Amino acid sequence: MDTIRFKNDTRLRRKLMVEESFAHPAKMAMGLLQEIASRYDIKPGGWVLDPMAGSGTTAILALQGINCCLVELEQHFVAPM
């Protein structure tokens, strides 16, 4: 199996997300999010469910017209989203 490597997304993350989101210990790489959307052919108007939204990276798909339903149990991660 090949390893997929993603570019550092800190600059883009700082542009699109609030500083508090950086506190999450397991942020999804934005490149991984785009890879998933591409592999599963998720198009504008489609839906994505993220049951463990964490820092809210999945919400960035909304900028592409993709509907997102994010679920997160820990309030201190919900507020920055």
Side-chain angles (χ1 to χ4, degrees):
M1 179 177 250
D2 293 331
T3 301
I4 301 173
R5 300 201 189 279
F6 301 105
K7 294 179 183 177
N8 184 309
D9 62 10
T10 302
R11 184 177 294 155
L12 182 58
R13 190 174 289 278
R14 287 196 191 285
K15 182 178 177 182
L16 298 174
M17 303 177 87
V18 298
E19 193 66 31
E20 292 84 4
S21 70
F22 285 82
H24 196 281
K27 294 170 283 304
M28 181 191 321
M30 291 185 185
L32 175 60
L33 178 64
Q34 293 302 337
E35 181 68 23
I36 291 168
S38 175
R39 283 191 186 201
Y40 289 95
D41 199 28
I42 303 168
K43 300 207 181 317
W47 280 90
V48 170
L49 168 64
D50 186 348
M52 295 176 272
S55 65
T57 304
T58 303
I60 291 171
L61 290 175
L63 297 172
Q64 299 172 16
I66 297 169
N67 299 297
C68 303
C69 179
L70 282 66
V71 179
E72 177 57 53
L73 294 176
E74 297 188 50
Q75 181 61 34
H76 61 279
F77 293 133
V78 174
M81 279 191 251

